[in-house]
Every structure is written in C-alpha cells, then in structure tokens.
C-alpha cells in the first residue's frame, strides 16, 4: 500500500504548513507533494522554505512562484476584477520584498508539472490545470467531459491540481479521477478556520481522503497584523469567510460564502 500527501497554496502560512506536515507524518505517508503557490496572503514567506526542505516536500511551481522567481510585475493570478487585483498587488509586493534571493532562485528552478506512478495509476500534478498554470477549474463549472478530455490528452488516470483554494474530487470514466487537493494558506470560504490537504492511498483501488488541518490561526492573525497586511486578509483567517478574490468565484461557490 502506498500513501502520499498532497497540498497546494501555502500562501506563506507557515503555521498551517507545520501542522499539516506533522499530521501527514503521523498518518505514515510515504511522500509529500506541494502543488505550488508557496507565498502570498500571509506573513514571513521565508519561514515556509526550511519546513519544506526539512520534510523533503517535493514541489512544483505555481503562478506565484513563477512570478516571484522570475521577478515579474505581478502574480499572474488570473483575476479580472479591479478590487481583486488591488489586493493581489499588495500581497505580491509584500511577498516579493520579503522573499530572499536564494529562495527566489529556488522557486524559479521548480518544475511546472510532475508525473508519478501510484500502482497502476499514472498521476499528473499541476497547479491550475495541465494546459495552463493559472487556469481556474471550479467544481460547479467544469464538465466531466472536459476532465475526461484532459486525462486522455495528457495520458494519465489522475490529475491533481489546486489554485482555486477550494478542494473537490470527481471520479471520471475508466476509473480516472480529477482532484483539487485544497490549500493550506487560507480557509475555503465556509466559515471554519481550518484548512485542508489530501491523502491518496493505493491498495487495490485509489482512495482519496480530504484531511482538515487545525492550527493556531489566531497567532497567524497577530503576525499578519504586525506585518501590516490588509485587515481583509486577517478577517478571512479569523472567520473562515473570504473577503477578497470573490469576483473570480462562480455563482454556486460564491453563494456558499458570506459575502
């Protein structure tokens, strides 16, 4: 039996990352993977990297890592709303200024995708989608037919992605699967402060489990306030409701939230 832990979107939340890594190790996983977006949103981005190295986390590059690593003008987050882009610019400027040159170079060298084999399953890990790093694949608006097409096009049985900040799993035809593994950086707009990661277990079949991570979110809020990060970000950490990045949400996902 093989078990792997997979998460995305750390968003500088070193406290949630540490809690998730401890939890995954207690559960006896064989390997740990991160699907990108190491920085953004939270405080002290450089605190993430020692934890990743200490626990031998195998990372790929998200749009944020690509932007920070290559010193681009923005985060390539894919927002179109002016308010969302305003907060994205604040987050990006803070993260870039507080990420060391050595860590920027390390992110620049990360692969955009990773392929592994889990038993008889060929697995493709990406950030947004296999065809575009910052593509949003939402549960309510992404068709099963399209996901089947992606698996066939990229010749895999399992696609693992993140980017949207909200976990979901859809079984596909031919015992294939698409999994958004969730993020560790902020809660998923459901009024709960915990965050999420995924465990994939291979025995005779593939089993996918979403694992809640409880961490000291109040301490994170204190650190964020001390770094003068936007109060809108802090409110999300404390309440579990998104206050930014709302316009990108499809109607069904947005109606689940408070705003």
């Amino acid at each position: 039996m093989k078990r792997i832990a997979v998460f995305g979107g750390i968003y500088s939340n070193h406290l949630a990352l540490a809690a998730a890594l401890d939890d995954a190790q207690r559960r006896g996983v064989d390997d740990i993977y991160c699907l990108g977006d190491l920085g953004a949103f939270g405080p002290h981005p450089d605190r993430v990297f020692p934890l990743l190295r200490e626990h031998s986390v195998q990372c790929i590059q998200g749009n944020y890592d690509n932007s920070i690593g290559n010193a681009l003008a923005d985060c390539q987050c894919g927002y179109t709303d002016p308010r969302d882009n305003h907060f994205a610019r604040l987050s990006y400027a803070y993260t870039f200024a507080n990420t060391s040159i050595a860590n920027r170079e390390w992110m620049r060298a990360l692969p955009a995708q990773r392929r592994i084999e889990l038993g008889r399953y060929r697995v493709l890990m990406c950030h947004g989608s296999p065809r575009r790093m910052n593509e949003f694949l939402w549960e309510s608006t992404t068709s099963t037919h399209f996901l089947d097409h992606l698996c066939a096009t990229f010749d895999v049985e399992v696609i693992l992605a993140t980017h949207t900040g909200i976990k979901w799993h859809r079984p596909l035809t031919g015992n294939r699967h698409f999994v958004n593994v969730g993020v560790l950086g902020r809660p998923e707009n459901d009024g709960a402060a915990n965050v999420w990661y995924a465990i994939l277990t291979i025995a005779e079949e593939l089993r996918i489990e979403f694992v809640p991570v409880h961490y000291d979110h109040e301490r994170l809020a204190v650190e964020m306030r001390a770094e003068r990060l936007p109060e809108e970000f802090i409110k999300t950490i404390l309440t579990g409701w998104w206050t930014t990045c709302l316009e990108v949400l499809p109607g069904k996902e947005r109606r689940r939230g408070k705003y």
Side-chain angles (χ1 to χ4, degrees), residues 11 13 41 83 87 165 183 185-195 215 217-218 220-221 224-225 230-246 258-259:
Y11 306 153
N13 190 339
F41 198 76
R83 183 176 185 271
F87 285 109
V183 299
R186 66 174 185 168
E188 60 172 37
N189 198 30
D190 60 359
N194 65 276
V195 294
Y215 70 101
H217 62 283
E218 293 183 351
L220 186 75
M224 293 170 75
R225 192 165 283 125
E231 284 295 320
E232 289 84 353
F233 294 180
I234 297 166
K235 187 175 182 180
T236 293
I237 291 298
L238 290 174
T239 67
W241 299 115
W242 290 10
T243 59
T244 61
C245 308
L246 293 168
K258 184 175 182 180
Y259 301 105

Side-chain angles (χ1 to χ4, degrees), residues 4-254:
I4 65 169
V6 191
F7 51 79
I10 299 171
Y11 306 153
S12 303
N13 190 339
H14 62 101
L15 297 175
L17 174 61
L21 292 170
D22 288 345
D23 184 80
Q25 290 197 323
R26 283 196 301 271
R27 293 170 186 265
V29 301
D30 298 291
D31 295 296
I32 305 176
Y33 297 89
C34 175
L35 303 188
D37 278 5
L38 310 183
F41 198 76
H44 309 300
D46 273 349
R47 295 185 182 179
V48 164
F49 299 92
L51 291 166
L52 295 173
R53 294 175 182 128
E54 177 186 348
H55 292 269
S56 301
V57 179
Q58 300 176 65
C59 299
I60 65 170
Q61 194 178 73
N63 53 279
Y64 225 91
D65 317 309
N66 181 271
S67 290
I68 294 287
N70 290 287
L72 302 185
D74 60 46
C75 65
Q76 307 177 83
C77 291
Y79 302 139
T80 57
D81 179 70
R83 183 176 185 271
D84 287 346
N85 278 318
H86 165 72
F87 285 109
R89 284 191 294 270
L90 294 176
S91 175
Y92 186 71
Y94 171 84
T95 305
F96 186 83
N98 289 278
T99 302
S100 72
I101 292 175
N103 286 331
R104 292 183 210 168
E105 292 175 347
W106 184 79
M107 284 190 288
R108 186 169 64 241
L110 289 174
Q113 298 182 355
R114 186 182 295 273
R115 290 175 179 262
I116 65 170
E117 292 190 2
L118 290 176
R120 62 187 177 87
Y121 293 89
R122 294 167 296 175
V123 180
L124 173 62
M125 300 182 189
C126 56
H127 183 71
S129 84
R131 64 181 190 174
R132 194 169 75 246
M133 184 179 285
N134 65 351
E135 183 171 17
F136 292 101
L137 297 183
W138 302 100
E139 183 175 18
S140 69
T141 58
T142 305
S143 73
T144 299
H145 175 75
F146 173 70
L147 296 174
D148 279 328
H149 170 73
L150 285 181
C151 284
T153 300
F154 291 90
D155 198 25
V156 292
E157 285 77 46
V158 181
I159 296 174
L160 305 179
T162 180
H163 190 54
T164 67
I166 299 177
K167 69 185 186 308
W168 59 282
H169 165 224
R170 186 174 300 165
L172 307 173
T173 58
N175 200 20
R176 297 183 293 195
H177 299 264
F178 176 87
V179 186
N180 185 310
V181 301
V183 299
L184 293 180
R186 66 174 185 168
E188 60 172 37
N189 198 30
D190 60 359
N194 65 276
V195 294
W196 296 87
Y197 75 98
I199 289 181
L200 278 67
T201 303
I202 296 293
E204 293 182 0
E205 298 293 335
L206 175 67
R207 186 170 75 248
I208 296 155
E209 176 187 6
F210 291 115
V211 181
V213 178
H214 300 275
Y215 70 101
D216 192 346
H217 62 283
E218 293 183 351
R219 176 182 161 191
L220 186 75
V222 170
E223 291 184 7
M224 293 170 75
R225 192 165 283 125
E227 291 296 295
R228 301 183 182 277
L229 289 166
E231 284 295 320
E232 289 84 353
F233 294 180
I234 297 166
K235 187 175 182 180
T236 293
I237 291 298
L238 290 174
T239 67
W241 299 115
W242 290 10
T243 59
T244 61
C245 308
L246 293 168
E247 295 304 319
V248 75
L249 285 169
K252 185 173 182 180
E253 280 82 359
R254 184 160 185 176

